[in-house]
Amino acid sequence: MAVAHLDDALTTMTAMAPEHRPEASAVDPLRSAVERYLATAAGTAWMPDVEVPAPPSTAGLREAGVPVDDDAVRKVAERERERRACLRRLVVSDGWAWHGC
């Protein structure tokens, strides 16, 4: 589930306006590591059928004063449908519920 949390945070960061987004050199290696993990895990784990999860919630960020665009987050999440579905399959196959992510 920690990988799903991390990926939701990275997804949200990539959707932020450039002036608020962390440097790509800080985000891209983590996104690549998650991608490699998903490729490996998908080949070795039982993968149940699941629906693609909703985009990450930005309510907590907005409450903390972090400028975030819900439309941009939604668009990035939509573009990464298969990645997010794979993460959800891994979370469910480990016995967790996605609503905890």
Side-chain angles (χ1 to χ4, degrees), residues 12 15 55-64 66-71 73-74:
T12 302
S57 173
T58 58
L61 292 171
R62 270 189 265 93
E63 288 173 13
V66 176
V68 62
D69 179 348
D70 288 333
D71 274 346
V73 172
R74 186 182 43 73

Side-chain angles (χ1 to χ4, degrees), residues 23 28 38 54 81 92 95:
E23 292 290 324
D28 291 350
L38 291 175
R81 288 176 56 81
V92 171

Side-chain angles (χ1 to χ4, degrees), residues 15-100:
M16 295 177 83
E19 63 271 15
H20 299 292
R21 186 181 314 148
E23 292 290 324
S25 62
V27 176
D28 291 350
L30 285 170
R31 290 189 59 78
S32 293
V34 170
E35 183 121 0
R36 286 189 307 274
Y37 169 73
L38 291 175
T40 301
T44 61
W46 169 71
M47 300 295 274
D49 289 332
V50 297
E51 291 183 22
V52 176
S57 173
T58 58
L61 292 171
R62 270 189 265 93
E63 288 173 13
V66 176
V68 62
D69 179 348
D70 288 333
D71 274 346
V73 172
R74 186 182 43 73
K75 286 176 185 174
V76 171
E78 181 62 31
R79 198 172 50 238
E80 298 180 351
R81 288 176 56 81
E82 184 51 40
R83 177 186 181 109
R84 294 180 52 71
C86 187
L87 281 163
R88 187 173 195 173
R89 284 191 289 273
L90 288 172
V91 167
V92 171
S93 72
D94 280 348
W96 295 97
W98 184 262
H99 68 271

